[in-house]
Amino acid sequence: MTEPMETPDGEAYLAAIAGIVADVEDIGVEFARVKIRELRALAAARRLADAQGAPRNARVQVHDMVLRSISAEVAGVMRLTDRAVQRRIGEARTIVEGFPAAVAAWEAGRIVQGHVKAIVDAGLNLPGEMWAEFEKVAIERCDGETPNRVRGELEILAHRMHPRTFAERHEEAAAGRCVRLMPGRDGMSDLIATLPTVIAEGIHDRLTQQARAIIDTRDERAIGSEIVATDARSTDQVRADVFADLLLAGTPALDDTRDTTAGPLGAIRARVQLLVPAVTLTGADNGPCDLAGRSPIDPATARALAGSTHVWERLFHDPATGVTVATDSYRVPSGMRRFLQARDQHCRFPGCRVAAIRCEIDHTHDHALGGKTELTNLAHLCQRHHSMKQFTAWRVRQLQGGVLEWTSPLGRTYREDAPTPAVAFTPAAAHPGDPAPF
C-alpha cells in the first residue's frame, strides 16, 4: 500500500479553503444573476427587431436591418464583433423563450449555466412543440449531477422522445460523412473527419493505445552525467505522428516497439465501451445506445458490435437486494469486472465522465487494511481521482446500492449515486438444455 503524502491540515489552512469556497459560491450566485439579466436583455433585442414591420422590398427586411443595427450598438459595449453579438442575440431568445423553465430553475439555483446549455443543446434536436415536455423531465435529471455527467443522458432522452427513430435520423446524418482540410498558420492545417461516433471513438482509442505503447518503451541514454529520454514527444504529438503514418504508409512507421516483423503496434485494436438496452439488442426498439462517456450511437452499429464481441454473458441482478459476489484474492475476476463496468459506466468521482474501461477498479476500503474484494467495496476511479483518494484528505465510503459518499477536507459531503442501469437482465423460465437467448 502506498503511504499517503503529508497534506496541510491545520485550522488556518482549512479556514482559508473554507473562505475560498464561500467566495466562489457567492460569486457563482452573482454570476448567474448577471448572466440571466444579459440573456433577457439580448432576447429583448431580438423581439424588438422582429416587431419592426414587413419587408420593404424583396431583398431587405426592416427587422433584419434593425437587428444588425442593434447588434452593432451592443457590440460596442461588449467589445465583440456585431456578427458575434447577433448570433448571441438569437441564441438568447431561443433559451429565454424556448426553454423558460430551465432559465427559471437556473435563477432559483436548482441548476447552473452548464445544465441550461446541456438542456438547450439536447432539446433543439426535438420539434419546438416538444421543448416544454422535454425540459420538464431534463431539469429533474439534472438534480444533483454535474452538467458534464448528465449531458449524454439528456441527448439520449431527447432522441428517445423524438417522433422519428434515431436509426432513421442517423442514416440521413451518415450520408454527410466527409473529410475536410482547414488551412492553418505556420505551415499547419487541421484535417477534420466527420464520421459515425463509434468509428471516431475507435480511431481515437487505437491511436491513444499505440501512442502509449511507444511512450512506454522509450529509450533512455546517458548524455554526460544525465539520463535523457531519446524521444521527448508528448502523447498528443505521438498520436498525431502515428495517425499520419497509418494514413500515408498503411503501417505505423514510427513504431519504437517494432520487432523483425510488423511490430506490436499493428496488433493493437480499438476498444469502445457500449451500453445496449436489451430491447434494442433484440430489435424490439430502434432507440439510441450509449457510447459510455461520449454520445449516442445508432442501434444497428450497437447490434453489430454486440454480435462480434468475444465476451457476452447475461448478468442476473436483483435491483432490490443486490448480488453478493466476492473473492478472497486482491485481483478482481473478469466476471466481476464486467459487472462493475455495467454498473459504474464511468469514474465514480462526482462529475467525472471518464469511461470505466479507462479507469482503475479501486477497493473503497483499502484491501491492505482489511477491505474485501466484493461488489460492495469496489468502484471505478480514473487515475486522477484514484490518486487523489490515496494522497489527499478526500475520503470516500460505499453505501448500499453502490452509492459513494465523498467527504472533502472541509467536511462537505457529495453523494455519487450508481448510474441508472442501461441493461437489466432477469432470470427467465427455461427448460433444461435450452440455449441462452443471446
Side-chain angles (χ1 to χ4, degrees), residues 118-119 122 134 137-138 140-143 145-161 288 290-291 293-296 345-346 353 418-421:
I119 291 172
F134 169 76
V137 180
E140 296 299 325
R141 297 284 182 90
C142 290
D143 187 28
E145 290 282 12
T146 63
N148 185 53
R149 179 68 63 78
V150 80
R151 185 174 290 107
E153 185 179 353
L154 295 184
E155 288 180 1
I156 289 180
L157 172 65
H159 286 309
R160 289 196 172 277
M161 291 179 65
D290 185 15
L291 190 63
R294 300 294 181 179
S295 58
Q345 302 179 28
H346 43 63
R353 282 280 289 176
T420 303

Side-chain angles (χ1 to χ4, degrees), residues 29-43 92 95-96 102-109 111-113 116:
V29 173
E30 185 63 27
F31 176 78
R33 187 179 299 116
V34 171
K35 290 301 293 183
I36 292 170
R37 281 186 60 195
E38 181 185 82
L39 270 179
R40 287 176 172 155
L42 294 177
I95 295 170
V96 170
V103 175
W106 180 16
E107 194 168 27
I111 60 178
V112 297
Q113 184 180 14
V116 176

Side-chain angles (χ1 to χ4, degrees), residues 342-363:
R343 185 196 73 179
D344 291 347
Q345 302 179 28
H346 43 63
C347 172
R348 297 295 306 286
F349 187 83
C352 187
R353 282 280 289 176
V354 175
I357 58 174
R358 296 183 180 84
C359 293
E360 303 161 351
I361 296 181
D362 170 66
H363 287 71

Side-chain angles (χ1 to χ4, degrees), residues 271-340:
R271 304 168 306 169
V272 293
Q273 181 181 339
L274 181 64
L275 303 173
V276 189
V279 289
T280 303
L281 189 65
T282 59
D285 177 81
N286 256 339
C289 300
D290 185 15
L291 190 63
R294 300 294 181 179
S295 58
I297 68 168
D298 64 291
T301 299
R303 293 187 195 108
L305 289 173
S308 62
T309 185
H310 297 295
V311 179
W312 182 256
E313 66 178 30
R314 295 187 299 170
L315 301 177
F316 296 93
H317 174 61
D318 185 343
T321 62
V323 177
T324 302
V325 180
T327 179
D328 293 332
S329 66
Y330 173 80
R331 181 179 177 276
V332 181
S334 59
M336 193 185 299
R337 284 179 178 274
R338 289 192 290 275
F339 182 92
L340 288 168

Side-chain angles (χ1 to χ4, degrees), residues 163-177:
R164 297 180 62 209
T165 69
F166 185 83
E168 291 173 342
R169 288 177 286 127
H170 172 74
E171 185 176 356
E172 290 181 4
R177 62 192 182 279

